[in-house]
Amino acid sequence: MVHRCVFLHAQRDHRVTTLAKTKEVQAYDALVSSQVLSHDDLELVMEEALRGPADVPSLLMDKYKIPKESLLTCLGEYYGCPTLEYDECVSMNPALLKHLSMDYLKLHYWLPLHQDKTCLDVLTDDPHDLEKCRDIKRAFPGCTLRFLVGLRRDISLFLLRAMGQRKTHSISDILGEIERETSPDQLEDTVGGALHGHDSAIVRLVNQIITDAYRQGSSDIHIEPSLNKQDTIVRFRVDGTCLPYMKIPATCRRAIVSRLKIMADLDIAERRKPQDGKIKFVLADQRDIELRVATIPTAGAHEDVVLRILTAREPLPLVAMDLSARSLGELRRIAEKPYGIILSVGPTGSGKTTALHALLNSINTPERKIWTAEDPIEITQEGLRQVQVHPKIGFTFAVALRAFLRADPDVIMVGEMRDKETADIALEASLTGHLVLSTLHTNSSVETITRLLDMGCEAFNFADAMLGILAKRLCKRMCDGCREEYRPSMTEFDELVQGYGRESWEGLGVRYDREFRLFRGRGCAACNRTGFKGRIALHELLLGTEEIRSLIQSKATTNSMLRVALQEGMTTLVQDGIQKVLQGQTTYQQVQRVAIK
């Protein structure tokens, strides 16, 4: 009888193992069918995974160098779920982990990410694991589960991050501590840097706000005290849009502003006039970031604080700038010219400086001496001699330019042409054998010419010097994880045609037929259900051709110059945006938000 029981148990274990292997084979069928991996190799990997601690995806990546993207695609198709790769910018709701054991989650590889009124988003390595699903339903009764597939390595990284957030306390814990330990009068009267007994909590609160902003991919942090006893609002700007982050009790508002002023080395007692400074901040993982701080007096004797996050970045390659083939080729051509001026224009935060550094990176060779004057220095690269201007001590862009001309430069980059003096010196430099790059705040490439002439620049000098003007905008990029095709209506098609221009549209050869498709973001955990993640650049490159130079010298109208530029092949910001809509990189609504007047 004992022998029969042992035989039955062995038979059952064999059936379970065989079933698991069959399931694994089905999950990775696509790799075998595409001949990335042989069936025999897959069998060997599964045998090794059953014997040892490593799972099949880890073995495939380590031993057979299968890309993570290919594995996620296979698993996503097999399970019929969206996939999620580890990314620090993916936000998690720490409240969902409050009653869960981290040891249990690490053992079973699942993690709750977000919860709304109807669904709970759960990241797991196996949505078909019935026992795991039962555990999740017991932990979150009554919730509709929406699964995302991830690799065990990535789930472990998410769990490590969640554990780190637990150790650093939540914002609500810090605020509770402040309210328990400090009277409202103490906080409201915080001046002169004396934060008294609550200084530790305020320091941790400010540090946590900055850390959360960086993790969520924010470009700016807005601290907005309200009138009377209303809560202070904190907002993050993510992908160009301000999003509410949290509310802080009114009693903490002056203490927070004081702490930020101390960090930025500003006058803590001065509340009547704007101030600006910088903060060097070290994240928990020892990465350094810099924040540009601006304080502005507001109603009720309060101060708003805006912090721009400046990460120490490497320059982007020119090919990664989302440029069209024409614009990329022409920019490379004019950047090789020995002298002349190239301008990058657009509103604040549109990527003007990023574009110039990409251009400099493409021509940065030991044979060229390149000087840059910037405020602030946001991007650094080897081979450039970069100078930080200080207008408060009289070291302006104009002064820096004059100094550069005495230092035997080949290429000069000026952070911004803010006044006629700087513009005149830059034009003079470009006409005397130097390549000059600079930025300007204008709406389009053609309007830049009018702006410079209105500033008092000599039309003949500018016409001779101009090589090209690159206008830029940034709009939201569609999330790759949840992008889907759809059949648009005729109305949507007509909007695209009208926005592009009917005459120019004919050249695209795109018609409204059965094959015509557009794209939209369905919304997933990776993009916080918005359908967008990151931003994409729109460009408009006006070249200094003979015809354009002639029009500049005659001070022709903006419309005349635009008409000639379009005839010569220029693509406007809107047209470039619509081309990216047709490629499935963004939507026409996003293009309209940033590029249409």
Side-chain angles (χ1 to χ4, degrees), residues 57-127:
S58 297
L59 291 170
L60 289 173
M61 285 190 291
D62 294 340
K63 287 198 167 186
Y64 293 90
K65 308 302 178 187
I66 306 296
K68 181 190 286 188
E69 296 77 13
S70 300
L71 292 172
L72 285 171
T73 301
C74 286
L75 294 173
E77 290 175 355
Y78 173 71
Y79 291 115
C81 298
T83 60
L84 182 63
E85 189 176 349
Y86 178 74
D87 189 336
E88 282 194 351
C89 294
V90 175
S91 60
M92 299 182 293
N93 185 354
L96 296 174
L97 302 168
K98 198 170 185 180
H99 303 294
L100 296 174
S101 164
M102 281 293 176
D103 291 333
Y104 165 80
L105 294 176
K106 286 192 288 184
L107 182 64
H108 294 279
Y109 295 102
W110 66 270
L111 173 72
L113 291 174
H114 303 282
Q115 186 176 18
D116 55 30
K117 293 179 182 179
T118 58
C119 290
L120 173 73
D121 290 330
V122 179
L123 177 65
T124 177
D125 68 322
D126 185 0

Side-chain angles (χ1 to χ4, degrees), residues 97-341:
L97 302 168
K98 198 170 185 180
H99 303 294
L100 296 174
S101 164
M102 281 293 176
D103 291 333
Y104 165 80
L105 294 176
K106 286 192 288 184
L107 182 64
H108 294 279
Y109 295 102
W110 66 270
L111 173 72
L113 291 174
H114 303 282
Q115 186 176 18
D116 55 30
K117 293 179 182 179
T118 58
C119 290
L120 173 73
D121 290 330
V122 179
L123 177 65
T124 177
D125 68 322
D126 185 0
H128 290 179
D129 188 327
L130 296 178
E131 186 177 344
K132 194 179 296 186
C133 290
R134 282 194 292 268
D135 288 346
I136 298 171
K137 287 179 179 178
R138 280 196 293 266
F140 299 95
C143 288
T144 301
L145 302 181
R146 189 163 46 196
F147 287 109
L148 295 93
V149 184
L151 302 184
R152 289 188 174 186
R153 287 182 178 180
D154 287 346
I155 295 172
S156 297
L157 290 172
F158 276 116
L159 289 168
L160 281 173
R161 201 178 102 194
M163 290 171 67
Q165 288 178 352
R166 276 190 174 184
K167 290 176 183 176
T168 56
H169 302 292
S170 67
I171 292 286
S172 57
D173 292 338
I174 299 171
L175 291 175
E177 180 183 335
I178 292 172
E179 289 180 354
R180 286 193 303 273
E181 295 182 359
T182 316
S183 68
D185 290 340
Q186 267 186 301
L187 287 162
E188 278 291 354
D189 293 338
T190 298
V191 292
L195 297 180
H196 306 295
H198 64 279
D199 57 347
S200 174
I202 289 293
V203 167
R204 283 187 283 119
L205 177 63
V206 170
N207 290 351
Q208 193 62 44
I209 290 171
I210 294 172
T211 301
D212 287 352
Y214 178 80
R215 280 177 176 163
Q216 293 185 26
S218 308
S219 59
D220 302 272
I221 305 169
H222 298 259
I223 314 288
E224 303 169 344
S226 303
L227 294 172
N228 304 322
K229 297 295 181 180
Q230 296 176 359
D231 291 340
T232 294
I233 307 296
V234 180
R235 296 194 290 167
F236 294 164
R237 186 180 292 280
V238 182
D239 295 338
T241 302
C242 276
L243 304 173
Y245 166 64
M246 65 175 297
K247 292 184 178 181
I248 298 174
T251 50
C252 300
R253 57 193 171 197
R254 286 189 176 166
I256 289 172
V257 172
S258 296
R259 173 60 189 164
L260 289 169
K261 283 184 171 182
I262 290 169
M263 294 171 74
D265 197 23
L266 302 178
D267 184 354
I268 196 170
E270 179 57 71
R271 299 179 185 169
R272 298 168 299 172
K273 63 182 182 180
Q275 299 184 68
D276 59 87
K278 292 177 186 174
I279 295 173
K280 289 190 179 295
F281 188 81
V282 182
L283 297 164
D285 58 5
Q286 301 306 309
R287 271 183 294 182
D288 293 334
I289 63 173
E290 189 172 88
L291 299 103
R292 189 165 58 192
V293 183
T295 69
I296 302 174
T298 51
H302 299 306
E303 290 176 281
D304 274 32
V305 184
V306 179
L307 300 95
R308 166 70 59 89
I309 300 175
L310 308 172
T311 54
R313 298 173 296 166
E314 295 291 322
L316 281 176
L318 207 54
V319 292
M321 294 290 295
D322 302 314
L323 290 156
S324 66
R326 173 192 177 269
S327 296
L328 179 61
E330 292 292 354
L331 273 176
R332 281 176 167 163
R333 181 182 65 81
I334 62 177
E336 292 294 336
K337 297 284 186 181
Y339 59 89
I341 191 164

Side-chain angles (χ1 to χ4, degrees), residues 380-424:
T380 58
Q381 53 177 306
E382 292 292 328
L384 269 58
R385 309 310 303 153
Q386 296 179 259
V387 173
Q388 169 74 57
V389 300
H390 295 283
K392 290 180 180 178
I393 62 171
F395 187 30
T396 62
F397 284 119
V399 173
L401 261 174
R402 288 195 182 94
F404 292 167
L405 292 174
R406 295 191 293 269
D408 189 28
D410 295 305
V411 182
I412 298 171
M413 196 265 268
V414 187
E416 185 182 346
M417 294 204 301
R418 294 176 178 170
D419 49 52
K420 183 180 182 298
E421 182 184 13
T422 306
D424 284 342

Side-chain angles (χ1 to χ4, degrees), residues 342-358:
I342 301 172
L343 298 175
S344 178
V345 304
T348 301
S350 60
K352 300 185 297 296
T353 304
T354 302
L356 291 187
H357 268 281

